[in-house]
Each structure stands twice: as structure tokens, then as C-alpha cells.
């Protein structure tokens, strides 16, 4: 579990994150949503210790990472897996070598054990057959799955995903969503996903945090988001025609139910 309390971050006098308090639950997919410029990426960088906040707390299982000694922060980062927006695979390494990279860097296991762990992770994302291929030889969706396998190679307690469906078609996006959800549940990880994709939010969002201009505007689950009366959230959620139609359909069903009760 990750707990954030009264987090503030400024850049050159401009407040980017303003007094944010939130809890990211273990075994759940926690979504951070909002339009471009809302502070999502800065918030994520604060969570993983790449950006130092100006005020507040970020606690991992009770330990505040703000002010933490570098050796302790380095130890904590071994418990973190990161899925980057562009996958960030090494072109010169095979798929298997990419997954083995964090194991080679941080694991004390011997080479046979590291290879076995990497093969297990590839099997977990259904890519065993691609082990000897290079990133240039596989699709964008497969690259994301390789990146997920690499992110879980060290068996992390925390998984961070930055726009995991960026550039993917709807069918592949759904596959990535389901994979993130399955891995989160199977390994009981605390997963944090930054996204502006409402399909992903409704597919896998257990706990949803909506940022607007650096402020936590709303927090809830995917059932509550459809019935929210927060105008700023609704402007974001129902910008898509599809979600507008879903909202209208739900209102019609609700009206019909009320009429039947009245009769």
C-alpha cells in the first residue's frame, strides 16, 4: 500500500500538485486520470522518487520516501516495476535478454536461475515463442507485453504503468489491460496506472483518482464514476461520444424504472 498525504510540488513558482492526499491499495489497479497538463506524470515521478516534492509525505508500507537516504531509496526501488509509455526496450538485445536485464543488474541469482525467471515471466505474458526475437521483429503490442515481463522480473511489490495503451489498437489495448489486472491480482501488487483512456478505466480501474490542474478533484471506483455529479470529472469522462451514449442509456433506464415504480 502507498499513502500520499498533502503532497505539493512547484516549478518556478507554479503549483503543479496542490495538497494531494490519496491511498493506493495493494492487490488493486489504482488509476490516475486527467487531461494533459493535469499533473499526472509529475505525480507519478514523485511516487517513484524521480521528482522531490516541496511538501507532504509518500509512504510505502509506512515508510516515508521523502528524505529517505539514497541507499534506502535504492533498496525500495528494487521492489518497484516500471512500464514505460514507449516500452523502452533495448534494440540490441533479444526479448529474453531484455527481460533478464534487471535480473542481471540487481539479482544475486546465478545465470541459470536468472534465465529461468525471465522465461517464466515471458510465459506469464504468453510470449515464450518470442524469446530469441529482437524488438524490431515484434509488434507494438508484443513489445508492451515484453516490457510488462521485464517489469515483473524482480517480483516487485509495486507496479507503475505510464500510459500503457498509448499507440495500441482497441483489441490490443484490452489485452494489455487484462494482463495488468491479472498480474496485479495474481501477485497481490500495488499497481498504479497513469492513463487518459476511459476504456481502460472502466475495464480495470479498482480505485480512480481524477486530477484537474494539479488538484485531486475526485476519487472513487468505476461504478461511482458513471453517476458522479462532479462537472469537471463529467467533462473529462463524457468527452467521448461512446460514454455520452452510455450515460444517456443509463438515465433512460433509471427514468423507466422510476415510472414503473410510480405505476
Amino acid at each position: 500500500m502507498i499513502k500520499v498525504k498533502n503532497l505539493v510540488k512547484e516549478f518556478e513558482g507554479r503549483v503543479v500538485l496542490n495538497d494531494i492526499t490519496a491511498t493506493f491499495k495493494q492487490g488493486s489497479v489504482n488509476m490516475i486520470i486527467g487531461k494533459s497538463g493535469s499533473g499526472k506524470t509529475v505525480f507519478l515521478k514523485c511516487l517513484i522518487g524521480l521528482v522531490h516534492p516541496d511538501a507532504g509525505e509518500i509512504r510505502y508500507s509506512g515508510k516515508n520516501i521523502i528524505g529517505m537516504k539514497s541507499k534506502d531509496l535504492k533498496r525500495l526501488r528494487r521492489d518497484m516495476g516500471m512500464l514505460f509509455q514507449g516500452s523502452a526496450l533495448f534494440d540490441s538485445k533479444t526479448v529474453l535478454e531484455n527481460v533478464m536485464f534487471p535480473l542481471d543488474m540487481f539479482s544475486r541469482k546465478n545465470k541459470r536461475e536468472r534465465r529461468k525467471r525471465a522465461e517464466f515471466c515471458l510465459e506469464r505474458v504468453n510470449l515464450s515463442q518470442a524469446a530469441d526475437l529482437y524488438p524490431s521483429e515484434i509488434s507494438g503490442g508484443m513489445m508492451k507485453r515484453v516490457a510488462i515481463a521485464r517489469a515483473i522480473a524482480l517480483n516487485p511489490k509495486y507496479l507503475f504503468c505510464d500510459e500503457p495503451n498509448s499507440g495500441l489498437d482497441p483489441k490490443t489495448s484490452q489485452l494489455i489491460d487484462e494482463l495488468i489486472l491479472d498480474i496485479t491480482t495474481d501477485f497481490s501488487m500495488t499497481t498504479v496506472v497513469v492513463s487518459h483512456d476511459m476504456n481502460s478505466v472502466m475495464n480495470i480501474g479498482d480505485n480512480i483518482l481524477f486530477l484537474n490542474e494539479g488538484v485531486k478533484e475526485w476519487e472513487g471506483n468505476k461504478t461511482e464514476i458513471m453517476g458522479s455529479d462532479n462537472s469537471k470529472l463529467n467533462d473529462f469522462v463524457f468527452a467521448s461520444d461512446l460514454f455520452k451514449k452510455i450515460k444517456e442509456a443509463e438515465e433512460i433506464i433509471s427514468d423507466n424504472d422510476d415510472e414503473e415504480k410510480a405505476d
Side-chain angles (χ1 to χ4, degrees):
M1 180 181 291
I2 305 170
K3 289 189 175 183
V4 179
K5 184 177 180 181
N6 304 125
L7 197 71
V8 176
K9 181 59 187 176
E10 297 183 11
F11 288 110
E12 298 180 350
R14 184 172 69 91
V15 179
V16 179
L17 299 174
N18 190 0
D19 197 31
I20 294 177
T21 295
T23 298
F24 300 104
K25 302 173 183 177
Q26 183 179 351
S28 299
V29 177
N30 302 271
M31 309 283 293
I32 303 172
I33 65 173
K35 59 186 178 181
S36 298
S38 60
K40 303 189 304 297
T41 300
V42 174
F43 190 24
L44 182 67
K45 289 181 178 179
C46 287
L47 290 178
I48 61 179
L50 291 180
V51 169
H52 188 80
D54 296 304
E57 298 178 355
I58 301 173
R59 293 188 176 274
Y60 283 74
S61 300
K63 296 180 181 179
N64 188 10
I65 70 167
I66 298 175
M68 185 178 283
K69 294 180 180 179
S70 57
K71 65 176 183 178
D72 294 327
L73 184 58
K74 185 177 181 180
R75 189 179 299 115
L76 175 63
R77 282 189 176 139
R78 293 182 184 179
D79 288 331
M80 299 179 185
M82 185 74 201
L83 175 59
F84 298 96
Q85 184 173 343
S87 298
L89 301 182
F90 296 102
D91 293 335
S92 60
K93 295 181 181 291
T94 65
V95 163
L96 182 63
E97 288 169 344
N98 267 281
V99 178
M100 287 183 67
F101 180 76
L103 294 165
D104 293 339
M105 290 288 291
F106 300 112
S107 175
R108 294 180 180 178
K109 296 179 179 179
N110 60 45
K111 187 172 183 179
R112 185 182 65 81
E113 291 172 328
R114 296 197 302 272
R115 183 183 180 92
K116 187 176 180 180
R117 173 63 184 174
E119 289 172 342
F120 167 80
C121 292
L122 280 177
E123 182 180 351
R124 186 63 188 77
V125 300
N126 298 315
L127 278 180
S128 297
Q129 76 284 0
D132 296 326
L133 299 178
Y134 287 87
S136 61
E137 299 176 301
I138 59 179
S139 69
M142 292 172 73
M143 290 174 68
K144 286 290 174 77
R145 285 154 62 193
V146 174
I148 292 173
R150 182 178 63 185
I152 65 171
L154 289 170
N155 196 23
K157 296 177 182 177
Y158 313 96
L159 177 64
F160 299 93
C161 307
D162 185 15
E163 300 285 2
N165 293 332
S166 177
L168 301 180
D169 63 82
K171 186 174 182 180
T172 305
S173 293
Q174 185 174 355
L175 187 152
I176 297 298
D177 284 344
E178 291 171 353
L179 186 55
I180 290 172
L181 178 59
D182 289 346
I183 287 171
T184 298
T185 303
D186 291 351
F187 298 110
S188 192
M189 292 188 296
T190 302
T191 297
V192 179
V193 179
V194 169
S195 181
H196 63 269
D197 184 348
M198 281 307 302
N199 289 319
S200 292
V201 173
M202 299 309 294
N203 282 338
I204 63 173
D206 295 316
N207 183 54
I208 303 158
L209 181 72
F210 172 59
L211 297 185
N212 183 64
E213 297 181 357
V215 175
K216 186 181 85 170
E217 188 69 40
W218 183 89
E219 187 173 13
N221 59 44
K222 60 186 177 184
T223 301
E224 295 168 339
I225 202 171
M226 297 302 291
S228 171
D229 58 2
N230 185 298
S231 60
K232 293 177 181 178
L233 175 66
N234 287 337
D235 286 343
F236 175 79
V237 172
F238 301 114
S240 162
D241 288 338
L242 172 61
F243 283 93
K244 282 181 182 177
K245 291 176 180 177
I246 293 173
K247 180 76 168 179
E248 290 168 358
E250 288 185 345
E251 289 174 350
I252 291 171
I253 292 171
S254 178
D255 290 343
N256 289 340
D257 288 344
D258 291 342
E259 289 176 3
E260 289 178 2
K261 290 177 182 178
D263 292 341

